[in-house]
Amino acid sequence: FFDSMPAPGARPASAALDKLAPYLSGVSSSPGAAGSAEKETKPATKSVAPKLTKWLMGAASKYAGGSVATLAAPPATAAAAVAPLHGPVVRAARNELAREYREWVDTQIAKADDFSIAVIYASAYGNTSAMAQAIARGITKAGVAVEMLNCELSTVEDVATLIAKTDGFCLGAPTLGGHMPTPVSNALGVIVKEASREYPAGVFGSFGWSGEAVDLMESRLKDGGFSFAFDAVRCKFKPTEATLQVCEESGTDLAQAVKKLRRKKQTAETKALASGGAAAGQSDTAAAVGRIVGSLCAVTAKKGDAQSAMLASWVSQASFNPPALTVAVAKERAVESFLLKGATFNLNVLQQGNEKDTIKALLKPFAPGENRFGDMAVDISETNGCAIVTQALSYMECEVEERMECGDHWVVLAKVRDGKLLQDEGLTAIHHRKTGTSY
Ligand SMILES: Cc1cc2nc3c(=O)[nH]c(=O)nc-3n(C[C@H](O)[C@H](O)[C@H](O)COP(=O)(O)O)c2cc1C
């Protein structure tokens, strides 16, 4: 069922869930309507087994004969497991998972109808597709919905329809025989003709040796008057973790540019709202929340060959035994994808009076893939490969235990595996604020 999802997006996921509806409850797209599995309490029993075996044998011979289009749906029963191509086999809590997936998909689609970015691409061997998925992740992280479009499975009319309703776009293509594939070239023609020049744009693609496709897309869009939200991402053959990280950060940059444009357009409306009665109450709350203080820290993390870091002050100890702590990480932060369950990172506690250089280095805007540490003096831990800020007061090597979704942040709970004092004396740098609406 998931073969329609070379790059998962909400709409293909929704179509896949529709197909799963007879076998799992909670995935039906029409509210209130339950799949037939709703009534089933148990997965396939012995009585269904002969029917299923017969169906599977029929399916196998049809696949062998190439006539899959005439394949009937399997006999209705509850699924015992869900085996997506992109993740682990799910045996427990299948229906809950499916229900939550449906909710997520519906939210994404509703969001996309309102505000979205198109990721339009083609990929012969999956490399450009992997880049497209990473870019899509970066866009979603920044709170903007993504519309994925594989040019090879769509018409130019599909491209035109999509471009008319999205708020920005990026285009990806492999180089084949010194060119971009024809469907991408056709899509590019539609974009240049139809898309608003205000739209922030981006290009990316995988190549083997000469890589003309990305250059061609870039120059055509530039000549057409578009401006780019990120530098073109070029990747030789299969993208590494570091390249995927560049793609993800580029996606976030694109989303930020689109959001900025929208904010600009909505300024008048926002101003009118802000001067309304509710604003006074809100600023009181914000001022109250702003009295919470935090220790200034540098979070440093590693994923494959990619390194990342961020300045953190929403940090707190969470347990004595085992020693544990929490860090709140904004959903759109580049380092967020380095802090998934099971990942390791270092928390470097900055020293009062000696924190300015590190803060400056961490707050400097950085291009996707740029060395995050800049002039910061760091050592690399032999245990977990993450950076240790040598000017810090102390550092802890941590492992992510849990993540809790909390509005616009993830609260990351981590066990402290090891820790060292780097300076014998000195106090922790504290962050005092005026308002709870910013760090
Ligand atoms: C038939 C063929 C022609 C290719 N021509 C070029 C080329 O002219 N220049 C180049 O840089 N790479 C070329 N490549 C390499 C591909 O661009 C490279 O394999 C890339 O990773 C494919 O990306 P994809 O997986 O997104 O399709 C070619 C590959 C094949 C199979």
Side-chain angles (χ1 to χ4, degrees), residues 122-129 174-179 206-212 235-238:
S123 182
Y125 305 99
N127 296 331
T128 309
S129 167
T175 300
L176 301 174
H179 288 95
S206 171
F207 68 99
W209 45 94
S210 51
E212 290 89 343
C235 160
K236 201 158 184 186
F237 293 113
K238 190 170 178 233

Side-chain angles (χ1 to χ4, degrees), residues 204-333:
F204 61 97
S206 171
F207 68 99
W209 45 94
S210 51
E212 290 89 343
V214 173
D215 298 340
L216 287 167
M217 292 187 295
E218 189 179 34
S219 59
R220 184 100 190 268
L221 288 172
K222 202 179 263 174
D223 294 348
F226 290 92
S227 45
F228 297 95
F230 60 83
D231 288 344
V233 190
R234 298 172 175 84
C235 160
K236 201 158 184 186
F237 293 113
K238 190 170 178 233
T240 61
E241 280 289 351
T243 311
L244 291 175
Q245 186 59 25
V246 170
C247 291
E248 192 172 314
E249 289 171 16
S250 301
T252 303
D253 283 355
L254 178 58
Q256 305 282 26
V258 167
K259 276 162 71 173
K260 195 170 160 194
L261 182 68
R262 173 170 264 216
R263 271 201 304 274
K264 216 167 111 188
K265 284 184 184 166
Q266 290 176 336
T267 308
E269 200 183 320
T270 315
K271 267 188 187 161
L273 269 176
S275 62
Q282 256 177 29
S283 67
D284 265 3
T285 310
V289 176
R291 295 306 179 268
I292 301 171
V293 292
S295 318
L296 280 163
C297 299
V299 171
T300 52
K302 175 183 182 288
K303 186 172 63 174
D305 51 354
Q307 293 272 359
S308 192
M310 76 158 197
L311 182 67
S313 60
W314 295 6
V315 176
S316 180
Q317 182 164 351
S319 155
F320 287 132
N321 189 17
L325 51 87
T326 59
V327 186
V329 183
K331 285 182 174 169
E332 63 201 61
R333 202 69 63 224

Side-chain angles (χ1 to χ4, degrees), residues 10-223:
R11 288 187 207 279
S14 175
L17 284 173
D18 283 347
K19 288 187 184 176
L20 283 172
Y23 315 103
L24 288 168
S25 65
V27 297
S28 176
S29 55
S30 44
S36 60
E38 192 79 71
K39 288 169 236 119
E40 301 264 355
T41 50
K42 286 186 196 145
T45 56
K46 273 187 192 156
S47 63
V48 199
K51 273 196 209 163
L52 263 179
T53 312
K54 196 170 159 215
W55 179 84
L56 279 170
M57 289 178 71
S61 69
K62 281 195 171 157
Y63 268 112
S67 56
V68 284
T70 59
L71 196 63
T77 180
V82 181
L85 288 177
H86 57 274
V89 174
V90 181
R91 292 201 174 81
R94 304 173 297 280
N95 293 338
E96 286 83 344
L97 189 81
R99 199 171 297 126
E100 284 189 11
Y101 201 11
R102 166 60 72 193
E103 274 170 26
W104 180 84
V105 158
D106 287 349
T107 314
Q108 292 299 312
I109 290 177
K111 247 198 211 170
D113 287 340
D114 177 42
F115 185 42
S116 64
I117 292 174
V119 178
I120 302 170
Y121 69 98
S123 182
Y125 305 99
N127 296 331
T128 309
S129 167
M131 297 172 80
Q133 290 182 50
I135 290 175
R137 257 199 317 277
I139 297 171
T140 315
K141 254 172 72 166
V144 179
V146 177
E147 294 280 11
M148 303 289 289
L149 192 86
N150 183 336
C151 294
E152 285 170 323
L153 306 175
S154 354
T155 62
V156 283
E157 287 77 25
D158 293 335
V159 178
T161 311
L162 185 63
I163 278 297
K165 66 175 190 175
T166 48
D167 304 87
F169 68 91
C170 61
L171 191 61
T175 300
L176 301 174
H179 288 95
M180 66 189 94
T182 310
V184 179
S185 174
N186 293 342
L188 185 57
V190 173
I191 290 169
V192 170
K193 194 164 157 237
E194 310 274 346
S196 157
R197 268 43 184 174
E198 270 192 320
Y199 282 0
V203 290
F204 61 97
S206 171
F207 68 99
W209 45 94
S210 51
E212 290 89 343
V214 173
D215 298 340
L216 287 167
M217 292 187 295
E218 189 179 34
S219 59
R220 184 100 190 268
L221 288 172
K222 202 179 263 174
D223 294 348

